Amino acid sequence: PGAALSVVLHWVFSSSDLEEAAGAGDVGASVLGGFTFILGFLIVFRSQQAYARWWEGGTLLQQLRGEWFNAFSNVLAFCNTSADRQDGVLF
């Protein structure tokens, strides 16, 4: 129903001088321009959000890697059974 109505309205506007009388000559161009602007804004906004999340994920992964490296280094340091290092460990 909506498509048929739009076809009929297009035919009526294009076959008569109603387009100039109604002042609807540049409405399509302005609507398309507005739609293009909004769509471009949303695409840029979502891309910036995705990029920020990607960087945050990379930062958190590097932090996690550092924490695991620190934990494993501590495990190796405290599990050393060397007799000459036992005096440095306080119980």
Side-chain angles (χ1 to χ4, degrees):
L5 178 64
S6 66
V7 168
V8 168
L9 285 176
H10 177 70
W11 179 73
V12 168
F13 276 135
S14 64
S15 66
S16 67
D17 292 335
L18 220 79
E19 185 175 353
E20 288 84 19
D26 292 333
V27 171
S30 65
V31 168
L32 182 62
F35 177 73
T36 304
F37 173 76
I38 291 172
L39 184 64
F41 179 78
L42 289 176
I43 288 173
V44 168
F45 179 74
R46 287 183 56 92
S47 296
Q48 286 177 345
Q49 290 293 323
Y51 191 63
R53 288 178 183 166
W54 184 80
W55 269 110
E56 183 182 6
T59 303
L60 289 174
L61 280 174
Q62 288 290 10
Q63 183 181 359
L64 180 69
R65 180 178 168 252
E67 295 289 334
W68 275 102
F69 182 79
N70 191 18
F72 188 71
S73 297
N74 285 334
V75 166
L76 288 181
F78 288 116
C79 290
N80 195 348
T81 58
S82 176
D84 57 340
R85 293 185 181 241
Q86 283 184 352
D87 58 350
V89 177
L90 298 176
F91 291 106

